[in-house]
Amino acid sequence: ADDNLVATGSSDRTVKLWKANDLTSPLATLKGHKRGVWSVVFSPVDRVVCSSSGDQTIKIWAVDGDFACLRTFQGHEASVTQVCFINAGTQLLSASSDAAVKLWTIKTNECINTFAEEAHEDKIWALRCWGDGGSIVTGGEDSRIVFWHDATEEEEEAERMEREHNILKEQELRNCLRNKEWAKAIRIALKLSHSRQLFKIFRHLYRHASTDEVLREALGDCTIEERA
């Protein structure tokens, strides 16, 4: 961000940059949007400003030199009403009249996720971020205010714990097979959804005429879901 500059957007389709200590005439006029500009925001890291428009696009502009348009993001199906930088200025969040919030990676120009289509039923007019994008709040024409929290870390931790749990169960299954603990092996294979391993166990038991007894032992304390 640049405390010496002020950025404004207008229905005349332009973004204007002003010196904070002299608002009598603009420092630069940035042209490129085809409809009115709804939102402008400075990057917290780089010397750029971002704008969103009724033309369904988001643009990033240089705030010095030739004041060129550096990037354009397309993907919303209606006016982009709000935009903000997150993740140390490497990503953008945008809100739109199409009732969606989109997450963009600036380096690749890609929309990597779309949120809020199921949360809002009408235009989103307000978007605010804090915690560098870890939490956001949106307000819509449907009279709803929705709070969002980035659960990526929690989900990744849960997936890691599940993988570790499955690795331990896999080892336990191998030990059961080696020790011919068929009933226990069947229960573990059911929980892990190892159909191929179950087939091998049942084929072995069938050949040794002990299937019924082992199944009664294995399935005696299984839930209906596990049996299915």
Side-chain angles (χ1 to χ4, degrees):
D2 191 332
D3 293 336
N4 298 316
L5 292 178
V6 174
T8 59
S10 171
S11 59
D12 66 4
R13 300 174 293 180
T14 68
V15 174
K16 293 184 185 293
L17 297 177
W18 313 73
K19 290 184 179 180
N21 59 2
D22 180 12
L23 299 177
T24 57
S25 60
L27 175 67
T29 300
L30 313 179
K31 297 180 179 181
H33 282 299
K34 298 177 180 178
R35 291 191 179 180
V37 176
W38 282 100
S39 174
V40 290
V41 60
F42 285 103
S43 166
V45 178
D46 301 312
R47 290 187 56 77
V48 298
V49 65
C50 184
S51 60
S52 66
S53 168
D55 63 9
Q56 305 178 15
T57 70
I58 303 160
K59 291 182 181 290
I60 292 180
W61 314 78
V63 298
D64 49 21
D66 59 359
F67 302 101
C69 178
L70 304 176
R71 292 188 181 275
T72 298
F73 302 83
Q74 296 177 303
H76 279 290
E77 297 178 357
S79 299
V80 187
T81 56
Q82 296 287 335
V83 67
C84 64
F85 286 93
I86 62 170
N87 292 339
T90 63
Q91 293 182 310
L92 294 170
L93 276 171
S94 60
S96 171
S97 296
D98 60 11
V101 173
K102 290 184 179 291
L103 174 64
W104 310 81
T105 296
I106 293 175
K107 186 176 181 179
T108 62
N109 265 64
E110 289 182 300
C111 174
I112 60 174
N113 215 333
T114 299
F115 312 96
E117 287 182 316
E118 68 283 353
H120 285 286
E121 298 177 351
D122 210 332
K123 302 176 180 67
I124 299 175
W125 290 113
L127 168 69
R128 292 295 179 267
C129 311
W130 66 95
D132 206 18
S135 298
I136 66 172
V137 59
T138 54
E141 196 165 308
D142 55 6
S143 302
R144 293 180 181 177
I145 297 174
V146 181
F147 289 86
W148 301 85
H149 173 67
D150 184 359
T152 302
E153 291 186 5
E154 291 91 335
E155 291 174 355
E156 290 177 349
E157 177 64 15
E159 290 175 0
R160 183 189 66 79
M161 293 181 65
E162 184 178 0
R163 287 195 300 270
E164 291 181 356
H165 174 76
N166 287 341
I167 289 172
L168 292 175
K169 283 297 181 181
E170 293 277 3
Q171 182 59 54
E172 188 177 0
L173 176 59
R174 288 192 289 269
N175 292 339
C176 290
L177 293 174
R178 183 166 55 251
N179 298 328
K180 298 183 179 180
E181 298 175 1
W182 305 117
K184 188 175 181 180
I186 289 172
R187 288 196 294 270
I188 295 173
L190 283 170
K191 290 180 179 178
L192 294 175
S193 299
H194 278 358
S195 56
R196 181 178 298 181
Q197 198 63 258
L198 284 168
F199 174 75
K200 290 180 179 179
I201 294 172
F202 289 143
R203 184 174 60 183
H204 173 84
L205 294 175
Y206 178 77
R207 289 174 177 174
H208 291 79
S210 55
T211 308
D212 292 343
E213 179 182 349
V214 174
L215 281 177
R216 280 194 295 270
E217 181 183 352
L219 300 179
D221 58 354
C222 284
T223 65
I224 294 175
E225 290 80 5
E226 288 174 333
R227 295 184 186 186

